């Protein structure tokens, strides 16, 4: 859902608490960024400092949003989309590298992950306005504009060119994880030794609680909301969840996920949720989205090849499946 940025971008303080513990405070603030709910939790020396540093984190994520949000007409990604089939567009190095990493996911998933899926943005709507299935013809027409092979990168000139008119790219799959990661880097640069950036389920943590204990993160079980699928102890690590149980549409009693298979133009099936754990929120997000599209067998095959990342899968029938290195990586979250 794309929220009105002018209305929400500066609606920062929805929740703000200060809890004195061991001569430190924990500051918590909710905000809306990238059309989603974000929560920033910081451990700092006093209330004034924690407020200023939360502002720094939000400013950094707004900066990223202005670069990559495809619904902001002046963003670099929007300019790339507006010039599809016309000319290459010069972009900042971080936008170029973000695109490079997205194409890497396309290559290792053989197109199950593809940022050019944004060409489907007018076919499926998850804002409550859609009550009928899109036509087969509309889906097939949009699919013709999907294909990471047609995203042309020129590293020497730092340009991105979409070969086919009508193509679009979008970072809904990795953008929030990237924003969370960059906010963490920003805050550690300013000396903040502990906190959590929760970008609507894409979370990165560092340091510990003021009492020295690790942060505790629960993984929701959509089939048993009163019981967690797992509880993670985390210090310097990331966790992201992709799923169809919070953002979906119902048509004729059938639930359709907001995660679209770029090859078919249809919502992903077979898995209700995928949680990925590892060192980097952006990459965790890329893997969780990819696994949702790939399904159980191919998704496990992908994540089992990763040395630093692991996954917990919840099938449509409520079965919980963990990748082979899940326990090992879970222990690494405490380092």
């Amino acid at each position: 859902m794309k929220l009105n940025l002018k209305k929400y971008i500066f609606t920062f303080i929805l929740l703000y608490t200060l809890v004195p513990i061991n001569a430190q405070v924990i500051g918590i603030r909710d905000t809306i960024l990238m059309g989603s709910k974000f929560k920033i939790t910081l451990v700092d020396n006093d209330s004034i400092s924690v407020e200023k540093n939360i502002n720094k984190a939000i400013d950094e994520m707004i900066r990223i949003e202005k670069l990559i949000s495809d619904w902001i007409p002046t963003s670099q990604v929007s300019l790339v989309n507006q010039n599809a089939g016309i000319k290459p567009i010069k972009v900042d190095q971080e936008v170029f590298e973000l695109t490079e990493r997205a194409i890497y996911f396309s290559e290792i998933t053989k197109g199950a992950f593809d940022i050019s899926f944004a060409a489907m943005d007018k076919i499926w709507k998850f804002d409550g306005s859609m009550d009928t299935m899109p036509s087969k013809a509309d889906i097939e027409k949009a699919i013709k504009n999907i294909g990471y092979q047609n995203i042309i990168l020129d590293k020497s000139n730092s340009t991105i060119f979409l070969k086919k008119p009508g193509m679009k790219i979008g970072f809904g799959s990795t953008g929030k994880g990237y924003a969370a990661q960059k906010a963490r880097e920003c805050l550690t640069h300013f000396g903040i030794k502990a906190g959590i950036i929760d970008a609507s389920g894409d979370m990165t943590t560092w340091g510990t609680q003021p009492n020295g204990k690790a942060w505790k993160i629960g993984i929701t079980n959509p089939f048993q909301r009163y019981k967690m699928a797992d509880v993670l102890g985390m210090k310097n690590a990331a966790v992201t969840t992709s799923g169809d149980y919070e953002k979906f549409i119902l048509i004729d009693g059938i639930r359709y996920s907001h995660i679209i298979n770029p090859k078919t133009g249809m919502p992903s099936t077979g898995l209700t949720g995928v949680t990925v754990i590892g060192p980097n929120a952006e990459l965790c997000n890329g893997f969780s989205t990819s696994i949702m599209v790939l399904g159980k067998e191919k998704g496990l095959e992908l994540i089992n090849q990763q040395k630093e990342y692991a996954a917990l899968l919840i099938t449509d029938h409520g079965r919980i499946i963990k990748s082979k290195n899940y326990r090992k990586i879970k222990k690494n979250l405490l380092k």
Side-chain angles (χ1 to χ4, degrees), residues 148-161:
Y148 69 93
Q149 300 91 340
N150 293 314
I151 304 172
I152 309 303
L153 302 182
D154 182 342
K155 194 163 191 173
S156 60
N157 293 307
S158 191
T159 62
I160 302 174
F161 177 51

Side-chain angles (χ1 to χ4, degrees), residues 40 53-62 183 186-187 197:
I40 301 101
N53 283 310
I54 287 177
N55 286 340
K56 290 175 184 176
I58 291 173
D59 287 345
E60 173 66 357
M61 291 186 286
I62 289 174
C186 170
L187 291 167
I197 307 295

Side-chain angles (χ1 to χ4, degrees), residues 195 205-208 212-215 233-237 333-335:
T205 68
W206 71 104
T208 64
K213 293 184 178 180
W215 301 104
M234 299 176 63
K235 290 185 178 178
N236 302 296
L333 302 183
L334 292 168
K335 294 181 179 178

Side-chain angles (χ1 to χ4, degrees), residues 16-35:
Y16 187 87
T17 60
L18 293 172
V19 185
I21 307 176
N22 299 335
Q24 291 182 309
V25 296
I26 296 181
I28 304 174
R29 193 186 300 179
D30 285 355
T31 187
I32 299 292
L33 291 167
M34 300 184 176

Side-chain angles (χ1 to χ4, degrees), residues 47-147:
S47 60
I48 295 175
S49 180
V50 78
E51 184 175 355
K52 289 181 178 179
N53 283 310
I54 287 177
N55 286 340
K56 290 175 184 176
I58 291 173
D59 287 345
E60 173 66 357
M61 291 186 286
I62 289 174
R63 182 189 69 81
I64 293 164
E65 182 172 29
K66 289 179 178 179
L67 282 177
I68 69 171
S69 288
D70 56 323
W71 61 84
I72 298 178
T74 55
S75 75
Q76 292 187 7
V77 168
S78 288
L79 294 177
V80 170
N81 293 341
Q82 292 161 17
N83 286 277
I86 301 173
K87 63 179 181 179
I89 296 298
K90 187 174 182 63
V91 298
D92 289 358
Q93 183 177 354
E94 67 177 313
V95 176
F96 187 90
E97 292 176 351
L98 186 63
T99 307
E100 273 190 319
R101 291 191 294 272
I103 291 176
Y104 163 76
F105 271 104
S106 294
E107 291 171 345
I108 66 173
T109 62
K110 298 179 180 179
F113 180 99
D114 194 329
I115 57 171
S116 66
F117 84 99
M120 300 290 299
D121 64 350
K122 293 182 179 179
I123 306 300
W124 294 96
K125 298 181 184 297
F126 298 89
D127 58 3
S129 65
M130 191 170 185
D131 55 11
T132 59
M133 290 286 290
S135 70
K136 185 177 180 181
D138 286 342
I139 292 174
E140 289 178 351
K141 182 179 179 181
I143 287 176
K144 291 180 181 179
N145 290 322
I146 296 176

Side-chain angles (χ1 to χ4, degrees), residues 7-19:
K7 181 177 180 181
Y8 289 98
I9 198 72
F10 296 110
T11 309
F12 290 155
I13 305 178
L14 299 182
L15 171 65
Y16 187 87
T17 60
L18 293 172
V19 185

